[in-house]
């Protein structure tokens, strides 16, 4: 309504006047702004996986049930933690600690890790790879705060920077939310951004596809993703 709009404009005017007064004594009262030359002088993004994933990014690995997307995500995370030189032929530019959030399929996770070790002829026992197996609600500020504190504790124990945080699956961290509602999914992205910005880590969500084969849920997901990795598996095939 027009009355509501006038009230909102009045609130903006009051906030603007307050910020102007604060700016007289504190430059932090204003948002940073850059001219074109300053923009051009910004550092180039650094790759986590060359040509695929940049550092401190948000992205998704997605596919239908049974396509082996968890194997793909787990192998990527272990590669960062162990210090593998490449991932599927793409150079890994940075190693570091990995936090893997998964409240499902924990009983066979050790067998998946052992299979990956056997395939790559490496041991990951002493690598900075850590599993969080409790259910975390990314819609609740308390849970996100507890997650950030936990990741900080892991970084301290590991003694190295956090390279990546995996969320497997996205749906498990959104109890009661409507994946098709932008406002709900925007909260999920905001939680991921809080983790990403705090630790300079890449956050990777493992997600499902819809019946038509696209990423399930709101367009907020692909729109917010700096990278998307689609996983397919032919029916009956042993590989994805």
């Amino acid at each position: 309504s027009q009355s509501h709009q006038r009230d909102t404009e009045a609130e903006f005017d009051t906030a603007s006047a307050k910020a102007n007064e604060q700016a007289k004594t504190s430059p932090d009262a204003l948002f940073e702004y850059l001219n074109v030359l300053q923009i051009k002088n910004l550092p180039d993004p650094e790759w986590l996986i060359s040509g695929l994933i940049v550092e401190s990014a948000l992205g998704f690995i997605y596919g239908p049930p049974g396509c082996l997307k968890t194997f793909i995500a787990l192998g990527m995370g272990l590669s960062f933690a162990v210090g593998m030189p490449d991932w599927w032929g793409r150079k890994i530019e940075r190693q570091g600690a990995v936090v893997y959030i998964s409240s499902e399929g924990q009983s066979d996770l050790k067998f998946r890790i052992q299979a990956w070790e056997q395939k790559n002829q490496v041991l990951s026992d002493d690598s900075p790879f850590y599993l969080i197996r409790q259910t975390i609600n990314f819609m609740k500020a308390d849970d996100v705060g507890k997650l950030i504190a936990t990741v900080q504790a892991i970084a301290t124990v590991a003694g190295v920077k956090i390279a990546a945080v995996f969320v497997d699956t996205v749906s498990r961290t959104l109890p009661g939310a409507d994946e098709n509602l932008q406002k709900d999914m925007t909260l999920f992205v905001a939680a991921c951004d809080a983790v990403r910005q705090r630790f300079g880590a890449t956050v990777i969500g493992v997600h499902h596809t819809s019946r038509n084969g696209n990423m399930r849920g709101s367009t907020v997901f692909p729109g917010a993703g700096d990278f998307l990795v689609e996983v397919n598996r032919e029916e009956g095939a042993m590989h994805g």
Side-chain angles (χ1 to χ4, degrees), residues 100-116:
Y100 202 95
I101 302 169
S102 178
S103 60
E104 59 180 313
Q106 301 163 13
S107 59
D108 67 347
L109 192 63
K110 63 181 180 181
F111 301 120
R112 297 182 184 216
I113 291 175
Q114 289 168 352
W116 181 87

Side-chain angles (χ1 to χ4, degrees), residues 45-55 91-94:
E46 296 186 9
W47 293 107
L48 187 59
I49 298 179
S50 182
L52 181 66
I53 299 175
V54 295
E55 289 187 344
K91 185 180 178 182
I92 294 177
E93 302 286 354
R94 172 185 162 190

